[in-house]
Amino acid sequence: FILIVEPPSVPIQHLLMIILEPSNKRVRPLAKVSSLVNLISPSKNGAVRRFGQTIQSMSLRDSKSPGMSLKASSKTAGPTPTKRRNSTLWSETLDVHQKSTFSAKEIKRQEAIYELYRGEQDLIEDLQLARKAYHDPMLKLSIITEEELAHIFGDLDAYIPLHEDLMMKLTEETGPDGTVAQIGQIVINWLPGLNAYKDYCSNQLAAKALLDQKKQDKRVQDFLQRCLESPFSRKLDLWSFLDIPRSRLVKYPLLLREILRHTPPDHPDVASLEKAITIIQEILSDINIRKGESECQYYIDKLEYLDDRQRDPLIDNCKILLCHGELRNKSGSRLHVFLFSELLVLTRPVTRNDRSCFQVYRQPIPVRDLALEDLQDGEIRMGGSFRGAFTAGEKAKNVFRVSSLDPSHGQSHTLHVNDVYHKQQWLNCLRTAMAQQQGAPPRAQQGGAVRAKRRSSTISTTSTTSTDYDEETDENCPPTSGPKLRPQTLSKTRLDQKLQGSLKRKETKV
């Protein structure tokens, strides 16, 4: 029946040769998709695919040259351009006469308000896109279960009405000339609704881990790659869309400050905007605390103990993870080190039943028993290499030493960091944690009081986690502007030992 469609000028022998062409012929790669219909994987039947290409090439043949050999089209349609955001400024929506009626300061104020409005509009579009372009297709294609999708996407749909509400209020406040007279009280009444993001942000770490795990599935990997190459994605991957609400939260203080900066001092909005900035900062602080506690518990649950005696009771009371990352010990072995508010835990990354976890290495060291020593470059030699087994080893840089003042532990670890920047961040974190524990009661006296005091200590250290919503930081380190370095203090016993050692050396020299 297919032969009837072909013009009679094409010899039937030629058509059969095309249909029965060798199966090892290279197939042209799949073009970038421009709609969700094409996201389903193509057929794996090579003969059917080649036959479809043959029919397509026949339909493109020049009808004026029936005697010419049938050739496949050498040109393919170019990729669809990436979708771009509308970046029109508020002043660009005005004609020349309207623009002349406003002062330069008022134009800047209205443009800042318009930027807040457009940002809400863009956020709503992205939340809807995450559902329609990613969540629903993956559920229909059964490449991720509904329970897993709920864990990854959270309640994104529930936040759309919240942002639509702000857009509606700003629209109602817009006058005939396109300006918003007062915005401060509108924002004050609306901001408390952002507390709904506490659960979403605190679940982000676990959601990201699950998404990375599902990416190991070839079907998920193929689907996400096709979405990434499609125009609607704007070259953003799925996690970028899921992280947009968090990045939007950080912008609210900046946007409100920008509006306030261009608001005249005698404007009634000044007091309202200042109050709104205070409110959003408190909301972000609460979200940071909640997110920090969730991240801390996430890694505590991933700790694996070889012996029950390794499980220090303090680990159950830790609510803050000050910093963590990969370091190397003196022998060159990789360790993943966690500095919690009350414990320093050295671990080895392992995999158990396709689940990544951290096997505790040696006994965790309580921060109040911790001694820290900043080692100079070249002061010690590091091993761990084949050549180092026959030589004295190479002089190490960016090294520090942690040890326990408790004689029963008898631990000392020399740790190597990749660069001087991260070494300084580790030293900052360790010194801050040790300073906070200096006034803590002895471990034997503390007992059950630790749990009761945990909440207050969590709030007092929010400065170490507040940068989660200021900028992206390296996983090894806390805020870039870390705490001020403090001189290391020693216990009385340790100090006596050092003094006795120095006296002996002096006697020897004499």
Side-chain angles (χ1 to χ4, degrees):
F1 294 101
I2 297 175
L3 297 178
I4 297 175
V5 184
E6 176 64 17
S9 57
V10 180
I12 189 170
Q13 295 87 348
H14 186 66
L15 179 60
L16 291 174
M17 289 176 62
I18 296 173
I19 298 176
L20 299 176
E21 61 183 328
S23 60
N24 60 355
K25 182 176 179 180
R26 296 183 63 183
V27 180
R28 185 166 302 172
L30 199 63
K32 295 181 180 179
V33 294
S34 57
S35 67
L36 293 177
V37 179
N38 297 327
L39 290 177
I40 302 177
S41 299
S43 172
K44 296 182 179 180
N45 191 322
V48 173
R49 184 167 58 244
R50 287 192 300 277
F51 183 77
Q53 292 174 350
T54 301
I55 296 298
Q56 183 180 10
S57 64
M58 288 161 57
S59 64
L60 296 175
R61 185 176 56 84
D62 188 358
S63 59
K64 295 182 180 180
S65 307
M68 293 178 60
S69 301
L70 196 60
K71 297 182 179 179
S73 176
S74 59
K75 295 183 179 180
T76 57
T80 307
T82 302
K83 182 180 178 181
R84 294 183 178 274
R85 291 285 198 198
N86 186 355
S87 57
T88 305
L89 300 175
W90 178 81
S91 58
E92 295 175 350
T93 63
L94 307 175
D95 56 34
V96 178
H97 175 70
Q98 285 179 310
K99 194 172 181 179
S100 62
T101 60
F102 300 108
S103 65
K105 193 173 186 65
E106 180 62 21
I107 290 177
K108 290 182 178 180
R109 170 179 156 83
Q110 293 301 323
E111 285 185 341
I113 296 175
Y114 186 68
E115 184 180 355
L116 174 65
Y117 176 86
R118 286 303 307 270
E120 295 300 294
Q121 190 176 47
D122 292 342
L123 176 60
I124 292 171
E125 291 178 1
D126 288 334
L127 294 179
Q128 293 172 339
L129 179 64
R131 166 68 65 173
K132 294 179 181 179
Y134 291 94
H135 178 281
D136 293 348
M138 285 194 289
L139 181 62
K140 290 179 181 179
L141 294 173
S142 300
I143 57 179
I144 297 183
T145 66
E146 185 174 2
E147 182 180 357
E148 291 170 333
L149 287 171
H151 191 68
I152 294 173
F153 284 81
D155 297 326
L156 282 183
D157 289 345
Y159 307 126
I160 293 178
L162 172 66
H163 298 282
E164 287 177 337
D165 180 52
L166 179 58
M167 286 184 61
M168 181 185 69
K169 290 178 179 178
L170 291 177
T171 302
E172 293 173 352
E173 191 65 22
T174 303
D177 58 352
T179 64
V180 177
Q182 296 186 31
I183 188 178
Q185 193 59 44
I186 293 176
V187 177
I188 289 176
N189 297 335
W190 177 80
L191 283 176
L194 294 179
N195 284 300
Y197 277 106
K198 286 183 180 179
D199 291 337
Y200 181 81
C201 292
S202 62
N203 184 58
Q204 276 194 305
L205 183 63
K208 179 68 163 58
L210 177 58
L211 178 61
D212 290 341
Q213 179 185 343
K214 299 305 295 183
K215 284 180 180 178
Q216 305 303 317
D217 187 332
K218 293 295 183 182
R219 296 177 302 165
V220 177
Q221 195 177 86
D222 178 68
F223 176 85
L224 295 179
Q225 182 61 32
R226 289 167 184 269
C227 287
L228 183 63
E229 295 174 354
S230 300
F232 66 80
S233 72
R234 307 195 310 277
K235 304 299 182 183
L236 300 176
D237 60 10
L238 172 57
W239 183 251
S240 297
F241 283 100
L242 296 178
D243 194 48
I244 282 176
R246 183 200 63 83
S247 60
R248 179 64 180 172
L249 288 174
V250 220
K251 292 180 181 178
Y252 286 120
L254 304 177
L255 291 169
L256 293 177
R257 287 193 186 99
E258 185 67 12
I259 297 173
L260 178 61
R261 190 163 69 93
H262 298 297
T263 301
D266 57 345
H267 196 284
D269 249 357
V270 171
S272 299
L273 287 171
E274 290 175 346
K275 183 178 179 181
I277 292 172
T278 302
I279 293 174
I280 185 60
Q281 287 176 333
E282 292 175 352
I283 292 174
L284 292 181
S285 178
D286 290 341
I287 293 177
N288 281 332
I289 293 174
R290 183 80 170 269
K291 183 176 181 292
E293 292 177 351
S294 176
E295 179 184 10
C296 181
Q297 190 60 47
Y298 173 83
Y299 284 111
I300 289 176
D301 293 339
K302 281 185 169 291
L303 296 179
E304 183 181 87
Y305 300 92
L306 295 176
D307 190 333
D308 290 340
R309 289 175 295 181
Q310 286 184 318
R311 187 176 181 86
D312 193 296
L314 289 175
I315 195 66
D316 296 324
N317 303 306
C318 292
K319 297 294 183 183
I320 300 176
L321 176 61
L322 297 177
C323 64
H324 70 99
E326 186 178 291
L327 305 176
R328 291 184 180 271
N329 61 12
K330 191 173 181 179
S331 63
S333 301
R334 289 193 313 161
L335 299 177
H336 199 100
V337 182
F338 295 91
L339 177 60
F340 296 99
S341 53
E342 298 194 19
L343 280 175
L344 179 70
V345 184
L346 284 72
T347 69
R348 298 182 189 274
V350 294
T351 302
R352 298 281 187 266
N353 299 323
D354 296 330
R355 175 181 173 269
S356 62
C357 55
F358 302 92
Q359 187 179 88
V360 176
Y361 171 74
R362 305 289 295 274
Q363 187 72 21
I365 304 176
V367 173
R368 66 170 151 278
D369 297 336
L370 198 62
L372 174 64
E373 186 178 359
D374 182 2
L375 301 177
Q376 299 301 316
D377 292 349
E379 186 174 342
I380 67 167
R381 297 181 181 272
M382 304 291 285
S385 65
F386 180 78
R387 196 179 82 179
F390 301 97
T391 64
E394 297 181 358
K395 292 184 179 181
K397 296 182 179 180
N398 309 316
V399 183
F400 63 91
R401 180 179 292 130
V402 291
S403 55
S404 175
L405 297 176
D406 187 349
S408 62
H409 283 176
Q411 292 190 62
S412 179
H413 304 280
T414 301
L415 301 174
H416 175 246
V417 192
N418 287 335
D419 52 57
V420 65
Y421 169 78
H422 290 121
K423 175 188 174 180
Q424 195 61 57
Q425 295 304 315
W426 272 103
L427 294 177
N428 288 346
C429 268
L430 287 164
R431 286 167 175 156
T432 302
M434 294 167 68
Q436 291 170 351
Q437 291 294 323
Q438 281 179 354
R443 188 170 182 180
Q445 299 176 7
Q446 199 173 13
V450 176
R451 186 179 298 275
K453 295 178 64 179
R454 176 54 34 217
R455 182 64 184 172
S456 61
S457 65
T458 298
I459 297 175
S460 67
T461 55
T462 53
S463 61
T464 60
T465 57
S466 61
T467 53
D468 288 338
Y469 289 90
D470 293 338
E471 60 181 351
E472 297 297 327
T473 55
D474 188 273
E475 80 165 349
N476 279 354
C477 59
T480 303
S481 59
K484 184 178 180 180
L485 300 182
R486 302 183 59 172
Q488 183 57 39
T489 58
L490 297 172
S491 66
K492 187 176 185 299
T493 304
R494 181 95 172 193
L495 185 59
D496 291 341
Q497 292 174 355
K498 282 188 169 286
L499 288 174
Q500 291 174 5
S502 62
L503 289 173
K504 289 180 179 179
R505 285 194 296 271
K506 288 181 179 179
E507 292 173 359
T508 303
K509 291 179 181 179
V510 174

